[in-house]
Amino acid sequence: MIIKEGVKKMFQVENIRKDFPILLRKVNGKPLIYFDNAATSQTPKQVIDVIVDYYTNYNANIHRGVHTLSQEATDKYEEARHKIQKHFNAKKAPEIIFTSGTTHSINIISSGFEALLNEGDEVIVSALEHHSNIVPWQMLCEKTGAILKVIPMNQLGELEINEYDKLLSKKTKLVFVNHISNALGTINPIKNIIDKAHKVGAAVLIDGAQACPHIKPDVQELDVDFYVASAHKICGPTGVGMLYGKEEWLNKLPPYQGGGEMIATVSFEKTTYADLPHKFEAGTPNICGGIAFGKAIDYMNAIGFEAIMSYENELLRYGTSQLLEIEGLTIYGQSKNKASVISFNLDGIHPYDVGTLLDKMGIAVRTGHHCAQPVMDYYKIPGTIRASFSFYNTKEEIDILVKGVKKAKLMLS
Ligand SMILES: *Cc1c(COP(=O)(O)O)cnc(C)c1O
């Protein structure tokens, strides 16, 4: 309890908000209320400063240069890799591959498995996935003749783990599930999912894009084979992300792209590949983005994930109870294990119309299927209005959202 109180004292949302210049802007004449954090997070000035510093002072290509700027850029980029390694508690830095984001990371693994799967092998996905953790695997199955099985979900928006048990067999080669659902906010029991997959000898990829803003994952404790995330959902820039893979797996998989940087030697007779992590990092990467990603992780750790999660839980509880007081409002995804995402609809009103009216009031929410059409199909709805809260949001902003939703309901019904 002493720790909890300490955490509360340190967490001053008004001070944190000062780090985010964008929160000062107006939208349609109203102060911006940014509740689209599950799509992308905002960027603190500490991260923006790193981006400006890179292009102002040491912009250069990495790894091959003898000159000072190239050395400086290389050092900072590799320093960022070490920060990410430490954050995720990977055993070794070369197990962290820089990518352009979660989608890219998943495609590296799905295309790598082409060489390892045979016709009739089985792979398991969940009903709660983002399209970027469905489509690459469907493409893989088409190419290899492997069979895609789906862990079903229930009305609360949770995975049916009993059904998962039944899908697992000696034929299962891979399981890929998100850590937190971006459409509903459900926190999935990934440790349980990973342990069960390993019992039948299957590898597991966890899509952590939506979890990393709230949770600090420990890949060794999870014993996960692959873990992927995007910087832009963790206060970093777009166009950069990470792939963690166990060294033995990354050594086993073939490279994804050919080009510079990923080779040891090249001749027309035979080319040999570079060691990890470079084998998967063909071409000039997003150098500035990688360095800024490292800074974003520093920034979030300085606040502390325990403090972030406990404050966001407060926002979630408050937002849920306030919104549920509106008659005709349904919240989709009511798991007890949930991150600060509220997906909802108003009876007989299209989500897009509500989103458009809220924008007029300066409130940014997302409407639509949230790249998770199977989830929408399950509830037999075209989409939802999704308000996703971050640690820089406030209860006062939620009050304005609730007022706005009431107003939109009056105008549209
Ligand atoms: C955002 C998101 C993705 C896709 O991330 P990109 O940065 O667009 O590649 C994948 N899965 C989940 C759960 C997400 O929230």
Side-chain angles (χ1 to χ4, degrees):
M1 282 335 273
I2 293 163
I3 294 171
K4 276 258 161 70
E5 273 166 27
V7 162
K8 265 203 181 132
K9 247 178 243 156
M10 269 155 41
F11 192 88
Q12 301 264 343
V13 71
E14 282 316 315
N15 284 339
I16 284 168
R17 288 176 68 82
K18 288 185 194 137
D19 291 338
F20 292 83
I22 207 167
L23 297 179
L24 291 175
R25 78 159 279 185
K26 296 209 158 147
V27 169
N28 293 318
K30 304 276 169 23
L32 166 68
I33 294 180
Y34 188 76
F35 283 156
D36 195 17
N37 295 289
T40 204
S41 57
Q42 292 304 341
T43 319
K45 67 176 189 303
Q46 289 85 340
V47 173
I48 298 171
D49 287 349
V50 162
I51 296 168
V52 172
D53 181 43
Y54 172 82
Y55 283 109
T56 309
N57 293 310
Y58 61 98
N59 176 26
N61 212 333
I62 51 169
H63 292 147
R64 283 156 302 205
V66 292
H67 62 83
T68 302
L69 296 194
S70 174
Q71 284 297 336
E72 285 180 15
T74 305
D75 289 350
K76 296 265 195 203
Y77 193 64
E78 291 308 317
E79 193 190 310
R81 193 192 305 277
H82 280 91
K83 284 179 186 177
I84 296 167
Q85 175 207 351
K86 210 169 143 230
H87 179 75
F88 288 93
N89 193 30
K91 217 181 278 173
K92 298 178 177 176
E95 291 179 320
I96 301 296
I97 312 291
F98 277 115
T99 66
S100 71
T102 301
T103 305
H104 179 202
S105 303
I106 292 171
N107 277 276
I108 289 175
I109 303 306
S110 66
S111 79
F113 264 85
E114 232 178 284
L116 306 180
L117 289 188
N118 296 308
E119 203 173 329
D121 283 345
E122 295 180 357
V123 297
I124 299 180
V125 68
S126 98
L128 282 176
E129 297 311 303
H130 188 284
H131 295 162
S132 71
N133 204 22
I134 300 175
V135 184
W137 307 107
Q138 287 175 321
M139 290 161 67
L140 174 67
C141 288
E142 257 171 44
K143 285 181 190 147
T144 59
I147 298 156
L148 187 74
K149 304 261 172 166
V150 184
I151 312 169
M153 59 182 279
N154 65 23
Q155 202 63 31
L156 288 173
E158 295 171 334
L159 293 179
E160 295 278 1
I161 296 300
N162 291 342
E163 297 299 317
Y164 172 58
D165 294 341
K166 290 182 209 156
L167 296 178
L168 285 165
S169 77
K170 284 271 167 314
K171 287 189 198 160
T172 314
K173 296 294 179 251
L174 249 180
V175 176
F176 26 96
V177 174
N178 61 35
H179 194 165
I180 295 185
S181 152
N182 68 303
L184 306 178
T186 315
I187 303 174
N188 290 314
I190 59 165
K191 181 65 184 147
N192 187 5
I193 289 171
I194 293 164
D195 288 348
K196 285 177 170 165
H198 284 168
K199 286 217 173 87
V200 299
V204 181
L205 177 144
I206 297 295
D207 170 357
Q210 205 59 237
C212 289
H214 315 286
I215 292 174
K216 182 171 176 161
D218 182 328
V219 293
Q220 288 192 71
E221 193 196 313
L222 288 168
D223 194 26
V224 67
D225 302 285
F226 307 102
Y227 196 98
V228 299
S230 298
H232 71 94
K233 294 192 180 165
I234 335 173
C235 296
T238 56
V240 65
M242 56 78 72
L243 155 64
Y244 159 80
K246 281 183 186 164
E247 188 181 26
E248 49 184 301
W249 271 116
L250 293 179
N251 280 329
K252 212 184 297 180
L253 293 175
Y256 177 60
Q257 284 183 312
E261 195 83 354
M262 54 73 75
I263 50 87
T265 60
V266 174
S267 74
F268 287 110
E269 289 70 41
K270 181 160 178 61
T271 288
T272 54
Y273 303 133
D275 290 335
L276 293 174
H278 308 294
K279 176 178 148 188
F280 292 103
E281 294 182 349
T284 302
N286 183 350
I287 301 164
C288 176
I291 297 167
F293 185 5
K295 185 67 190 183
I297 280 182
D298 283 347
Y299 177 81
M300 302 229 4
N301 277 309
I303 297 172
F305 280 83
E306 212 185 308
I308 287 173
M309 193 67 169
S310 107
Y311 178 70
E312 287 174 346
N313 277 340
E314 245 175 74
L315 293 182
L316 174 66
R317 270 197 302 274
Y318 184 70
T320 303
S321 68
Q322 295 300 302
L323 282 168
L324 280 177
E325 285 191 4
I326 301 174
E327 210 175 303
L329 185 144
T330 307
I331 292 180
Y332 301 93
Q334 302 240 36
S335 173
K336 279 202 193 80
N337 281 318
K338 211 183 136 169
S340 48
V341 173
I342 305 182
S343 238
F344 64 95
N345 271 334
L346 291 168
D347 274 357
I349 299 175
H350 200 280
Y352 178 82
D353 295 335
V354 181
T356 308
L357 282 176
L358 289 175
D359 180 58
K360 295 264 186 297
M361 306 173 207
I363 305 168
V365 294
R366 185 143 295 238
T367 63
H369 54 58
H370 317 298
C371 294
Q373 278 181 352
V375 175
M376 303 301 131
D377 290 348
Y378 174 84
Y379 289 116
K380 300 190 173 60
I381 50 176
T384 68
I385 304 148
R386 183 185 70 186
S388 47
F389 309 135
S390 178
F391 57 89
Y392 44 72
N393 290 126
T394 65
K395 285 188 181 171
E396 291 72 32
E397 288 180 314
I398 292 175
D399 289 338
I400 298 170
L401 169 74
V402 171
K403 239 192 233 163
V405 173
K406 285 181 183 160
K407 200 163 156 193
K409 187 186 155 194
L410 271 179
M411 289 170 78
L412 294 166
S413 51

